[in-house]
Amino acid sequence: MQKIMQIKDITNYLENIAPRSLQESYDNSGLLIGLSSATITKTLITLDVTEEVLDEAISKRCELIIAHHPLIFRGVKKLTNSNLTERLIVKAIKNDIAIYAIHTNLDNIIGGVNGIFAEKLGLVNTRILSPKGDGYKKVVCFCPTKYTEKIQNAMFAAGAGTIGNYDNCSYVLNGQGTFKPLEGSTPFLGEINKLHKENEDRIEVIVPDYKLNDVVIAMISTHPYEEPAYDIYTLNNSNQLIGSGLIGEIEDAMPVDKYLKKVKKILGASYIKHNKLVDKPVKKVAICGGSGSFLINVAANNNADLFITADIKYHEYFEHIGNMTIVDAGHYETEHLVKELIYALLIKKFPNFALQISEKSANPISFM
Ligand SMILES: [Zn+2]
């Protein structure tokens, strides 16, 4: 029997892994066409929504298409079939096919598009190439000492206290809190109109921005006080788990031409473009699937021997000659692994749901 789900079961799960708040400001990830409450029995996964992919969804009766690149990217002011995007939107709506995009939010997490790219290239010791700044808040709250552990655990469970490969990180300092309950209050401790002194702990935790609400709600709902006192501080720490590109190492350094032949094969690239190959073995490799030339200087500053991305402009090949090999391996070629990634994420959570990777999702660029 076919398993029936609601679109939001799938999108909520994916956005728990790659929250939409992590997408770049120019992006348009999320449910673009359809209702999140709609029921579905089959889903098609693709890099792009094209005419061929849409026809495939129609013929296979997939009610939802999950794409990496958003079909609707810029403002659509009319639907008169005057261009491809308008035609595809109309066709999807007429055929009752929902369209969902998970784009730069999936690029910006460590286990995202670049994660699977790095894995295929055999990179180890990977980290985000350009971590996002201002990604953290500090939440400080004050509670009676016997509630400290309960509140800490609630905040940890909601996503606070993770620093690199450590979780449950917090700082606790003991002190004295004072308050005077006024008329109309129902204090957990103390008496109306009497100053109360309480032995309290100050708990400090670090929280990624996108989990702040959840953590504050978890703290307030666990706190025994009617009016818990808490502070939220903006931090300038960058979030090492969120950002663009990845940098890592190949286990055994090898000549750059030898490694690039391997890369070409792994990505299924017909050809790759590069600047003058640097005459030293490759060890440190930076990558960014899709248009990543904005990271060329960042890769060089991180002493990468090689930077692999796509959509590099002519003049950019002049940069870092002799220091770093810059490679354009193609947009499709450096991103098509995203289909496999989305499939793997979903099948792990929904093993009995009908998921398919599109057979029609293809590179629009041909070579001769
Ligand atoms: Zn892309």
Side-chain angles (χ1 to χ4, degrees):
M1 209 181 86
Q2 271 183 331
K3 189 170 162 59
I4 299 172
M5 291 179 62
Q6 283 187 305
I7 289 179
K8 65 182 171 200
D9 297 331
I10 290 196
T11 58
N12 287 349
Y13 169 69
L14 288 175
E15 287 173 19
N16 208 14
I17 296 166
R20 259 192 300 152
S21 56
L22 297 182
Q23 69 180 309
E24 300 296 334
S25 56
Y26 57 79
D27 198 10
N28 194 33
S29 289
L31 187 61
L32 304 180
I33 297 176
L35 299 176
S36 62
S37 58
T39 52
I40 50 169
T41 58
K42 277 188 204 166
T43 289
L44 193 65
I45 299 166
T46 182
L47 179 63
D48 299 282
V49 181
T50 61
E51 194 96 50
E52 292 76 15
V53 170
L54 199 46
D55 286 339
E56 184 186 6
I58 295 165
S59 71
K60 290 180 174 170
R61 297 179 194 281
C62 297
E63 304 95 336
L64 171 67
I65 296 176
I66 300 177
H68 183 52
H69 293 139
L71 172 63
I72 305 171
F73 199 56
R74 294 180 185 88
V76 175
K77 296 193 173 177
K78 55 186 173 52
L79 289 172
T80 57
N81 285 3
S82 69
N83 60 41
L84 178 63
T85 304
E86 289 179 24
R87 275 205 312 279
L88 293 176
I89 294 170
V90 171
K91 190 167 180 175
I93 294 171
K94 276 187 174 171
N95 287 280
D96 218 3
I97 291 178
I99 295 185
Y100 176 78
I102 181 162
H103 189 211
T104 51
N105 44 332
L106 194 56
D107 290 333
N108 282 335
I109 59 168
I110 195 149
V113 179
N114 293 309
I116 189 164
F117 188 7
E119 196 185 305
K120 298 282 175 184
L121 296 187
L123 301 187
V124 293
N125 304 327
T126 50
R127 60 181 168 83
I128 295 278
L129 177 59
S130 177
K132 269 199 183 299
D134 307 333
Y136 279 116
K137 296 279 188 294
K138 178 178 274 193
V139 175
V140 175
C141 72
F142 308 84
C143 68
T145 49
K146 62 178 177 188
Y147 279 84
T148 304
E149 210 176 309
K150 196 176 168 195
I151 293 173
Q152 274 173 313
N153 289 339
M155 291 201 287
F156 293 151
T162 297
I163 303 173
N165 289 327
Y166 295 80
D167 65 11
N168 288 26
C169 304
S170 69
Y171 189 80
V172 177
L173 189 69
N174 188 252
Q176 190 183 63
T178 70
F179 50 86
K180 188 167 79 177
L182 301 177
E183 294 294 342
S185 63
T186 45
F188 175 72
L189 294 165
E191 290 170 42
I192 303 286
N193 288 327
K194 269 196 182 164
L195 182 70
H196 183 84
K197 293 179 182 173
E198 183 65 30
N199 186 20
E200 290 183 349
D201 281 335
R202 170 193 170 100
I203 311 171
E204 299 186 18
V205 285
I206 197 165
V207 184
D209 280 349
Y210 63 94
K211 289 188 173 165
L212 180 64
N213 272 348
D214 293 347
V215 169
V216 171
I217 289 168
M219 181 272 292
I220 291 175
S221 58
T222 324
H223 204 292
Y225 287 177
E226 195 175 17
E227 300 288 354
Y230 65 95
D231 307 320
I232 297 169
Y233 297 90
T234 296
L235 303 179
N236 284 325
N237 310 35
S238 55
N239 189 334
Q240 301 300 323
L241 300 176
I242 305 289
S244 314
L246 277 189
I247 185 161
E249 291 171 349
I250 50 176
E251 247 151 339
D252 300 307
M254 64 171 85
V256 65
D257 55 340
K258 192 175 163 199
Y259 184 65
L260 286 180
K261 277 184 192 138
K262 207 174 137 182
V263 169
K264 212 175 139 194
K265 203 168 158 197
I266 292 167
L267 298 179
S270 301
Y271 77 84
I272 56 174
K273 297 190 278 183
H274 56 84
N275 63 353
K276 192 173 184 296
L277 298 181
V278 176
D279 189 19
K280 68 170 183 185
V282 179
K283 177 80 179 156
K284 221 172 182 186
V285 180
I287 55 169
C288 182
S291 307
S293 62
F294 67 101
L295 292 171
I296 289 176
N297 290 337
V298 185
N301 290 339
N302 278 273
N303 301 317
D305 302 311
L306 170 67
F307 178 47
I308 308 169
T309 187
D311 302 342
I312 296 176
K313 292 194 186 105
Y314 174 77
H315 291 283
E316 290 167 334
Y317 286 93
F318 290 104
E319 293 169 35
H320 310 291
I321 291 176
N323 293 323
M324 182 174 78
T325 305
I326 300 170
V327 170
D328 186 330
H331 197 123
Y332 179 86
E333 292 82 350
T334 57
E335 276 196 333
H336 69 87
L337 291 166
V338 73
K339 294 179 269 184
E340 216 180 288
L341 171 69
I342 296 170
Y343 182 85
L345 291 172
L346 287 172
I347 207 73
K348 203 163 88 184
K349 173 76 177 171
F350 309 109
N352 300 318
F353 186 64
L355 292 164
Q356 292 184 38
I357 292 179
S358 168
E359 293 163 51
K360 301 290 179 186
S361 173
N363 195 348
I365 304 169
S366 299
F367 305 92
M368 59 182 288

